[in-house]
Amino acid sequence: MAKFNGILKFSGTIGGVTGVNSKEGFHLREKQNIAKSRYQMAPEYTSFRMNGRYTGMASRMSMAFRRPLRMFSLAVSDARMYSRLNAVMRKILMSDPLSKKGEFNFTNGIATTTGKQALLDFEFNATIAFDRLFKGSYVLDTASATLTLSGFVPKKALQWPAGATHATLESGLLHFDFAISEGKFASSAPRVLSKNEAATDIVLSTAAPTAAGLTKVHFLKVAFSQEVGGVLYPFKGNEAGVMKVVGVD
């Protein structure tokens, strides 16, 4: 890459030449056209091919993971949720401690603590931090897929957006098979709470078909609405609510 000391300096690409301003100075980089056959076979591109393969695997696994959650998560997901979940899936893949380089798989990755931690606490609406909006406490019993919120006071335990009169709490359980990229999902009965409701004990329980070897992913969702004329109208956009992975086993 050549250095450029002339008067004319530019950023971006013009005629296949890209201007790069780094700490070493301004450089010009010419676009390299690599033959497809060379890219597929040449040893110097092994790492590029491997990374491209892993990126594709992560994207496809992310899509399969999202599919059974679509209707449950749609209203409380931000626009960048897809790319963020893709990154999580890649972390799970790279957590595989058993396979040799270039042959990592999700089944080995999710079986590790590192793989599970990559998915735990994932937020579907990152524009509003879950812990900033949800200030209550809960206990998750993974064996029975039950979330218990004792003495829950809606006005204190939630940060309410302007105009919201009600909040709906739901839990979800996804049984996901990373080996075949398929999952089955079930959600609890929704619990609708008014903003000024007194302290109450809430139990959210889900059930879904189980099978040996499946990963169980537990979710907690909070969605806001406004009552007008006796009808609840769900909020939309960033203030619709939040959803988080609260358990992986």
Side-chain angles (χ1 to χ4, degrees), residues 11-215:
S11 60
T13 301
I14 300 176
V17 177
T18 301
V20 180
N21 191 10
S22 68
K23 62 182 179 181
E24 288 84 15
F26 190 83
H27 305 275
L28 297 179
R29 177 184 295 160
E30 186 177 6
K31 180 180 178 181
Q32 299 294 317
N33 292 316
I34 304 169
K36 183 177 180 180
S37 58
R38 182 185 174 194
Y39 178 81
Q40 292 175 335
M41 301 299 295
E44 62 264 32
Y45 294 111
T46 299
S47 294
F48 289 96
R49 292 194 297 270
M50 181 181 65
N51 287 330
R53 177 171 175 266
Y54 285 157
T55 297
M57 291 172 65
S59 177
R60 290 189 292 272
M61 186 62 72
S62 174
M63 185 181 302
F65 186 88
R66 298 193 313 265
R67 189 175 297 118
L69 297 171
R70 185 178 183 278
M71 297 309 298
F72 188 73
S73 64
L74 185 61
V76 291
S77 297
D78 65 55
R80 299 194 64 186
M81 181 270 289
Y82 308 105
S83 60
R84 292 188 294 105
L85 189 58
N86 288 357
V88 168
M89 291 301 166
R90 185 181 173 91
K91 288 180 181 178
I92 293 173
L93 182 62
M94 302 305 289
S95 297
D96 179 356
L98 303 176
S99 305
K100 64 182 181 181
K101 189 175 181 180
E103 298 180 3
F104 293 158
N105 66 71
F106 291 99
T107 303
N108 291 339
I110 196 62
T112 66
T113 299
T114 302
K116 289 182 174 64
Q117 288 293 329
L119 186 55
L120 185 64
D121 294 328
F122 179 79
E123 300 190 23
F124 285 72
N125 183 5
T127 57
I128 304 177
F130 186 95
D131 292 340
R132 176 186 169 192
L133 185 149
F134 184 90
K135 302 179 182 299
S137 60
Y138 56 83
V139 175
L140 171 64
D141 183 340
T142 56
S144 63
T146 299
L147 270 166
T148 303
L149 302 87
S150 300
F152 192 82
V153 183
K155 192 170 185 177
K156 293 182 179 180
L158 299 173
Q159 180 174 306
W160 293 75
T165 60
H166 290 75
T168 300
L169 272 59
E170 290 180 83
S171 65
L173 173 61
L174 175 65
H175 286 258
F176 195 77
D177 190 335
F178 278 90
I180 61 174
S181 305
E182 290 183 2
K184 294 183 178 180
F185 178 78
S187 59
S188 69
R191 183 64 182 272
V192 181
L193 304 167
S194 66
K195 184 176 182 178
N196 296 314
E197 193 164 328
T200 183
D201 293 334
I202 300 172
V203 178
L204 303 173
S205 184
T206 59
T210 60
L214 296 189
T215 300

